[in-house]
Amino acid sequence: MNITKITKAHGKIQVPGDKSISHRAVMLGALTEGTTEIKGFLNGADCLATIDCFRKMGINIEVKAKTVTVHGNGMYGLKQPSQTLYTGNSGTTTRLLCGILAGQNFNTSITGDSSIQKRPMGRVTKPLALMGAQIENEYCPLHITGTRLHGIDYHMTVASAQVKTALILAGLYADGATTIHETEKSRDHTELMLSAMGANLSVNGMDIIVKSTNTLSSVNADIPGDISSAAFFMVLGAIMPNSEITLTNVGINPTRTGIIDILKNMGANISIENIHTSAGECIGDITVRSSSLYGTTIGGNIIPTLIDELPIIAVAAVFANGTTVIKDAQELKVKETNRIRAVVNEFTKCGIDITETTDGMIINGGKAIHGADFKTYGDHRMAMSLTVLAQMADGQSTIDDSNCACVSYPDFFNDFYKLGK
Ligand code: S3P
């Protein structure tokens, strides 16, 4: 596909619902006793894969546009699926399912697409095994023999909300307490939602303690816009001259807002209004205006709060004067693709001065760049980041697979070109 260029970006966008919260609302809704109405659900391929898996386990789920109704069957109401559960491209579906399925009284198999089959699952299967889980393989397909679990005291070895959530979910089924110690705070949507549902869970600083829970009560979910999707427009508005973009109703949970802090550090003109809280989640309208950016260093504890945004932050760095160093971001290597390698390969094609490091990249920005024929590696966030990058390049660019954006943002290109009109 040729990437059409716009010359200014103006307007308001309601980005689609948060992917992490949409997954959790379906999964936890399925385990409640009642009916959960989810408004603003992300109809992206990843969250639809979650719905499909729970339907295969007997859960009645209705989808009407962006409203999803989950008819929960209780903590012990899932049925053995007659087929392998297929999670597509979705790491969240795969890893969180391991936590739920390890403690069932039936067996399951899980697999996904070629990318998911290469992503490490040992990071969930190993700590789950300490709880007594029986999961065969460290890569998909995974074969889970449902069994009785027991609580553990676990120090996280990787800052991952997917690992943490898998352990919390298993902890709901385990005998005794499960205590999870985080060293870096990762997104806490599971903790917030489970607390609202009355689970036996408490958070004490960096520690989470969960005990077995027989009943979860259903709570209706109004899902805010995904800050990881808003990120593409935040960077577009900042780097493109004569631009002003407002992103309405975006989730600004503090475990997710690293991108706002970093863009502000880089000199971006960003303001947030209408800040309010719904079901424990903080929400606001974000406005970004054309800005002069300068390079910065990004590393340490902030990384988990912006991990999915690093490809688009790298785009901001290209148009920032000076050097940007991204470090402590080795987790990027095990995302939908190796995002360090993918960003460096594709950016190099445009004449960008970028170097791959063991845990990130170094970008010398503020120089003119030219268009190129880009590869997305089937990665939705690469497709959207490269589209923003191409806007500011001299000449034409192409992208090999724009469709993969539908994993998290099916209307991305429509929304994008609306801003240019
Ligand atoms: C997610 C956690 C993050 C993130 C992913 C969604 C979640 O992954 O990259 O897109 O919903 O818990 P990790 O837990 O592997 O860091």
Side-chain angles (χ1 to χ4, degrees):
M1 179 183 102
N2 279 328
I3 301 178
T4 307
K5 291 206 280 186
I6 58 177
T7 51
K8 63 174 174 62
H10 256 268
K12 272 191 187 180
I13 298 278
Q14 172 61 59
V15 295
D18 188 277
K19 180 158 79 68
S20 295
I21 305 178
S22 294
H23 281 299
R24 287 158 173 80
V26 170
M27 293 185 178
L28 298 179
L31 303 179
T32 66
E33 300 284 339
T35 298
T36 301
E37 191 174 73
I38 310 170
K39 289 200 180 120
F41 182 81
L42 169 61
N43 277 315
D46 271 17
C47 298
L48 294 174
T50 292
I51 289 185
D52 183 58
C53 291
F54 280 83
R55 281 182 172 153
K56 287 197 173 113
M57 291 190 284
I59 303 297
N60 176 8
I61 304 175
E62 297 163 71
V63 181
K64 285 197 191 102
K66 288 181 190 157
T67 300
V68 168
T69 310
V70 182
H71 299 276
N73 221 2
M75 284 297 292
Y76 295 91
L78 296 176
K79 308 236 159 39
Q80 172 149 23
S82 56
Q83 313 154 42
T84 296
L85 298 173
Y86 184 74
T87 58
N89 194 244
S90 177
T92 308
T93 314
T94 311
R95 296 194 177 116
L96 270 52
L97 271 178
C98 289
I100 293 175
L101 297 175
Q104 302 297 325
N105 59 4
F106 56 79
N107 305 339
T108 36
S109 295
I110 309 179
T111 198
D113 68 7
S114 58
S115 156
I116 218 73
Q117 291 178 36
K118 290 191 211 98
R119 296 182 66 185
M121 296 299 153
R123 55 177 54 200
V124 283
T125 61
K126 285 180 185 160
L128 285 173
L130 300 175
M131 300 178 76
Q134 294 177 25
I135 306 181
E136 217 181 280
N137 293 343
E138 285 180 23
Y139 290 88
C140 279
L142 302 172
H143 304 293
I144 304 176
T145 304
T147 189
R148 215 180 158 89
L149 304 177
H150 53 82
I152 51 167
D153 191 87
Y154 186 74
H155 290 261
M156 297 282 294
T157 56
V158 56
S160 161
Q162 293 177 355
V163 175
K164 171 177 69 173
T165 301
L167 296 176
I168 293 174
L169 294 173
L172 293 175
Y173 290 96
D175 294 331
T178 299
T179 305
I180 301 157
H181 308 276
E182 288 193 278
T183 44
E184 289 169 67
K185 191 90 187 146
S186 62
R187 62 192 71 192
D188 63 358
H189 308 298
T190 308
E191 295 90 308
L192 292 175
M193 202 177 283
L194 275 175
S195 298
M197 290 175 161
N200 208 336
L201 174 138
S202 59
V203 179
N204 187 2
M206 302 294 276
D207 297 340
I208 301 142
I209 302 161
V210 57
K211 293 190 185 140
S212 79
T213 301
N214 281 327
T215 356
L216 291 178
S217 1
S218 51
V219 287
N220 288 337
D222 222 335
I223 303 203
D226 196 329
I227 191 166
S228 300
S229 297
F232 302 105
F233 297 117
M234 287 163 63
V235 171
L236 177 73
I239 64 175
M240 183 163 275
N242 306 316
S243 297
E244 177 173 328
I245 305 174
T246 296
L247 302 150
T248 52
N249 197 40
V250 179
I252 48 170
N253 175 320
T255 61
R256 299 283 300 279
T257 47
I259 179 156
I260 297 179
D261 300 337
I262 288 299
L263 288 178
K264 280 187 175 168
N265 265 347
M266 295 175 83
N269 182 342
I270 298 184
S271 55
I272 309 180
E273 271 155 35
N274 300 327
I275 299 177
H276 61 284
T277 304
S278 169
E281 294 286 351
C282 198
I283 299 165
D285 297 341
I286 304 173
T287 298
V288 187
R289 298 177 182 88
S290 314
S291 313
S292 297
L293 301 182
Y294 35 90
T296 189
T297 296
I298 308 167
N301 287 351
I302 201 166
I303 293 292
T305 72
L306 48 65
I307 188 73
D308 290 340
E309 289 69 78
L310 283 168
I312 190 66
I313 288 173
V315 173
V318 170
F319 302 103
N321 283 316
T323 302
T324 296
V325 178
I326 300 176
K327 57 183 186 177
D328 305 319
Q330 54 283 351
E331 273 297 295
L332 285 181
K333 295 181 186 170
V334 291
K335 293 297 176 189
E336 284 80 336
T337 186
N338 176 341
R339 285 186 177 153
I340 297 179
R341 181 69 46 83
V343 165
V344 172
N345 282 351
E346 299 314 297
F347 283 28
T348 302
K349 290 180 181 170
C350 305
I352 295 166
D353 180 354
I354 181 168
T355 312
E356 177 175 346
T357 62
T358 49
D359 62 351
M361 60 194 85
I362 300 169
I363 299 168
N364 289 310
K367 299 168 190 156
I369 69 162
H370 55 79
D373 293 327
F374 292 123
K375 264 175 68 174
T376 64
Y377 306 82
D379 181 336
H380 53 131
R381 299 203 199 280
M382 285 300 297
M384 295 183 273
S385 299
L386 292 167
T387 302
V388 176
L389 178 73
Q391 301 304 314
M392 302 295 289
D394 288 333
Q396 187 58 51
S397 298
T398 64
I399 197 168
D400 66 339
D401 173 17
S402 55
N403 271 343
C404 60
C406 75
V407 158
S408 63
Y409 199 157
D411 273 338
F412 175 74
F413 291 97
N414 279 344
D415 284 353
F416 190 97
Y417 290 112
K418 240 180 0 199
L419 291 171
K421 284 199 182 128

